[in-house]
Structure formats: structure tokens, C-alpha cells
């Protein structure tokens, strides 16, 4: 009787265990990392997919918005793509790098170089596919997405800025700009020309008052004029938060992960 009860208990426990536990797969998880750039140390997070996800991995560099700045290395995972990944820990198919900008700073200068250093470190540490590096960012991170894509126009297989822009959106954020096109007479044509042929998909909410649609609409027009091939989606009933409807759309991920750098 005791042996029967023990077998029954083991059966119940095994039935309650996750499939990843039963197979020895630790599942998707976050790891903390640090990188030193120009004498300053930066904390950041990396999402590592479950071991059943085929290797080598594609890599997404995610750039957060203004509200996630700091030095804890954690807040960038709490808005944008992070919450979506946390809902799909065992199925999300890409490595994701979450660098963090210090308080009151932008994705410019050293911070742009820091994000690229974090990406380089992840590519060196993990089994990744250099032909499938992607970049996406929200709001301030949308600006950063343009900044880094223009810094390394041949590295990213796809570029996905969300509610971003090129020029300062208002007087109190005069530093929120993309340095690569600052001061250029037509920054929109410049972006479409420099990233011509790179798969780009922009997203914005029509009702956005924090970062108006002006720049994204102008980039889309320049892309059409120069036949750069950019895509632009505008949500008519959405304000600043254009990232939630974007990241929860399966068609977006299907498009992103289908891109490979030529």
C-alpha cells in the first residue's frame, strides 16, 4: 500500500511539472550583464530563449523610452517588448538585449555606443546568427533606433522604430534628436537614402501628442519618393502607446524574423 501511494504521489507531481522541467529545458530566462564604455559601467539585461529554440539565435536590440532610464538594469524590461516576452517566456524565439540609458540622458553619444557594445557582447557570448540582428525601440528608443541604424547601416537585418522621430518633438526635449541627421536640410531624404533597401517598418499613433507623427510621415514620403522600401503603419485611434498593438501583432514578428541581412 505504501509503495502504491508513493507511486501515485510521484505521478501527481510529475503531472504538475512543466514540459520544460520534464525535458531538462530551463525555459526562457533573463540574465544580468554589465558593460564598461569610456570608463562608465552600465547594467543591462539579456533575455535568453529556452534551449529548445533552435540555435544560432536571432538577436533583437531593444531601446527603451524615457520612463525606463536609470542604472538598475531592470526597468527597460518593464515596458515595450519586455512584458510581451514575459508572457511568452518559453516560446519567444530570439535573444533580446535591453541596455539602459542613465537618468536625464538620451540614446546619443556614449549611450549609443554603449548599446552597440552590449549588442556586440551578446553576439560574442551566445550562439547567435550575425545575419539576423534586429533593432527596435519605443518613443525615445524610437529615436535611438534611427541613431544606431544610421551608425551601423549594414549590421541590422531589420529596423523597427515605434513612435519615434528625428527632430526634437517639443521645446522641453531639445536634446531628443538623431545626431546623424541633425542640421541636414532634409533629414527625411537623408534617412531614406542612407538606409535604402534596409527592411524598415515604422509604427505611430495618429493621436500622439508627445511625439507627433510629423517625422514618421515625412520619412514615409521620402521612402516612397526614393523607393527605399520602408513600411509605415499608423494607428488612427492610438495615442503615444503604439508599442502594445505592435508587439502583440503576430504579423509583425513574422515579418521581423523573416528578414536576413544580405
Amino acid at each position: 500500500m505504501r509503495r502504491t501511494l508513493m507511486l501515485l504521489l510521484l505521478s501527481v507531481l510529475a503531472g504538475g511539472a512543466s514540459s520544460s522541467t520534464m525535458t531538462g529545458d530551463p525555459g526562457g530566462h533573463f540574465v544580468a550583464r554589465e558593460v564598461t564604455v569610456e570608463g562608465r559601467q552600465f547594467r543591462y539585461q539579456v533575455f535568453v530563449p529556452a534551449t529548445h529554440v533552435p540555435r544560432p539565435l536571432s538577436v533583437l536590440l531593444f531601446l527603451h523610452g524615457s520612463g525606463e532610464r536609470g542604472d538598475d538594469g531592470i526597468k527597460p524590461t518593464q515596458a515595450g517588448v519586455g512584458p510581451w516576452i514575459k508572457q511568452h517566456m518559453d516560446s519567444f524565439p530570439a535573444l533580446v538585449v535591453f541596455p539602459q540609458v542613465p537618468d536625464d540622458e538620451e540614446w546619443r553619444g556614449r549611450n549609443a555606443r554603449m548599446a552597440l557594445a552590449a549588442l556586440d557582447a551578446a553576439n560574442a557570448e551566445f550562439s547567435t546568427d550575425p545575419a539576423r540582428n534586429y533593432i527596435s525601440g519605443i518613443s525615445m528608443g524610437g529615436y535611438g533606433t534611427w541613431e544606431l541604424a544610421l551608425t551601423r547601416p549594414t549590421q541590422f537585418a531589420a529596423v523597427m522604430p515605434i513612435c519615434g522621430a528625428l527632430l526634437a518633438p517639443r521645446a522641453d526635449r531639445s536634446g531628443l534628436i538623431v545626431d546623424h541627421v541633425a542640421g541636414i536640410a532634409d533629414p527625411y531624404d537623408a534617412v531614406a537614402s542612407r538606409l535604402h533597401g534596409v527592411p524598415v517598418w515604422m509604427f505611430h499613433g495618429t493621436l500622439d501628442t508627445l511625439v507627433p507623427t510629423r517625422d514618421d510621415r515625412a520619412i514615409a514620403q521620402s521612402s516612397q519618393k526614393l523607393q527605399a522600401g520602408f513600411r509605415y503603419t499608423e494607428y488612427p485611434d492610438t495615442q503615444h502607446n503604439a508599442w502594445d498593438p505592435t508587439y502583440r501583432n503576430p504579423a509583425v514578428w513574422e515579418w521581423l524574423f523573416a528578414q536576413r541581412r544580405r
Side-chain angles (χ1 to χ4, degrees), residues 31-46 61 71-73 97-102 107 110-125 152:
V31 295
R33 292 293 184 267
E34 294 183 356
V35 64
T36 300
V37 177
E38 298 169 20
R40 180 164 183 172
Q41 198 168 47
F42 298 86
R43 298 190 183 104
Y44 64 99
Q45 292 278 307
V46 177
L61 178 62
D71 60 3
D72 65 341
V97 183
F98 294 85
Q100 185 178 30
V101 165
W107 288 110
R110 178 176 60 183
N111 293 326
R113 293 188 287 275
M114 172 270 293
L116 291 171
L119 176 62
D120 291 343
N123 275 311
E125 178 180 358
R152 293 186 180 176

Side-chain angles (χ1 to χ4, degrees), residues 17-82:
S18 68
S19 59
S20 61
T21 301
M22 292 298 292
T23 61
D25 186 340
H29 59 283
F30 288 86
V31 295
R33 292 293 184 267
E34 294 183 356
V35 64
T36 300
V37 177
E38 298 169 20
R40 180 164 183 172
Q41 198 168 47
F42 298 86
R43 298 190 183 104
Y44 64 99
Q45 292 278 307
V46 177
F47 171 76
V48 183
T51 55
H52 65 75
V53 174
R55 267 61 173 173
L57 296 165
S58 57
V59 184
L60 173 63
L61 178 62
F62 172 75
L63 305 183
H64 63 76
S66 300
E68 292 74 57
R69 290 180 287 188
D71 60 3
D72 65 341
I74 301 295
K75 284 192 289 186
T77 68
Q78 297 173 346
V81 75

Side-chain angles (χ1 to χ4, degrees), residues 214-231:
R214 175 197 64 200
D215 285 10
D216 272 357
R217 289 178 176 179
I219 295 169
Q221 290 175 355
S222 290
S223 170
Q224 185 174 17
K225 178 179 66 176
L226 300 176
Q227 298 183 331
F230 297 179
R231 300 175 65 173

